[in-house]
Amino acid sequence: TPIEGALGWTLGGPKSRRRLEGGFVGAEHILTPEGKFKKTVKKRVGLMGMKAPARGHPEIYDASGEKKIGEVTSGTFSPCLKKPIAMGYVETGMHKSGTEVMIKIRNKMQKAEVAKMPFVEASYYQVPE
């Protein structure tokens, strides 16, 4: 849902007509009657710190490597950061930036860390005034 993917801003502010009236496909699944977002069980996060890129939906585990808390959706090597990055969904309590996790990449557990997104801050050119 947009809420799990941290895209709630696309639905407008808490007092916006769109959130108060609903009226779009799936509104009953993500909004309360007051127009607030319903609680979710998972959140989209950025992941960094692993040695190899996480590709092909590897599982994400807690720092001890025992409890499965989510799954990677996409990953690659970042030429800007010069290290592997990935995105995935984890349980709501484990979504805070800096949380240590383990990712099972090619049947080997690798340490990773939940990272703030976007990975590279935008630096748009602004015309001097």
Side-chain angles (χ1 to χ4, degrees):
T1 68
I3 311 313
E4 291 173 344
L7 299 171
W9 60 270
T10 62
L11 298 174
K15 304 279 186 208
S16 69
R17 179 188 59 82
R18 188 162 200 207
R19 286 200 21 202
L20 293 174
E21 292 176 8
F24 55 89
V25 177
E28 66 277 2
H29 297 291
I30 61 173
L31 296 175
T32 65
E34 300 83 37
K36 295 182 179 179
F37 297 133
K38 289 184 179 179
K39 301 290 182 203
T40 60
V41 294
K42 58 185 178 178
K43 294 273 188 177
R44 181 176 61 103
V45 296
L47 300 162
M48 282 187 178
M50 51 273 192
K51 294 178 183 176
R55 296 187 177 117
H57 296 277
E59 298 169 336
I60 303 171
Y61 292 86
D62 62 0
S64 67
E66 295 175 9
K67 181 183 175 202
K68 180 182 172 188
I69 59 169
E71 180 181 43
V72 172
T73 57
S74 61
T76 191
F77 183 82
S78 169
C80 292
L81 299 173
K82 296 180 176 44
K83 57 185 168 183
I85 59 173
M87 279 193 311
Y89 285 93
V90 297
E91 293 175 1
T92 302
M94 303 294 284
H95 72 285
K96 301 286 185 200
S97 184
T99 303
E100 300 222 351
V101 295
M102 300 288 280
I103 304 176
K104 192 173 190 177
I105 302 173
R106 296 178 205 94
N107 291 322
K108 293 181 182 175
M109 297 298 265
Q110 291 192 21
K111 288 183 182 179
E113 187 176 290
V114 174
K116 189 177 175 186
M117 292 198 308
F119 296 108
V120 179
E121 291 296 325
S123 56
Y124 301 110
Y125 175 74
Q126 294 182 354
V127 178
E129 293 183 25

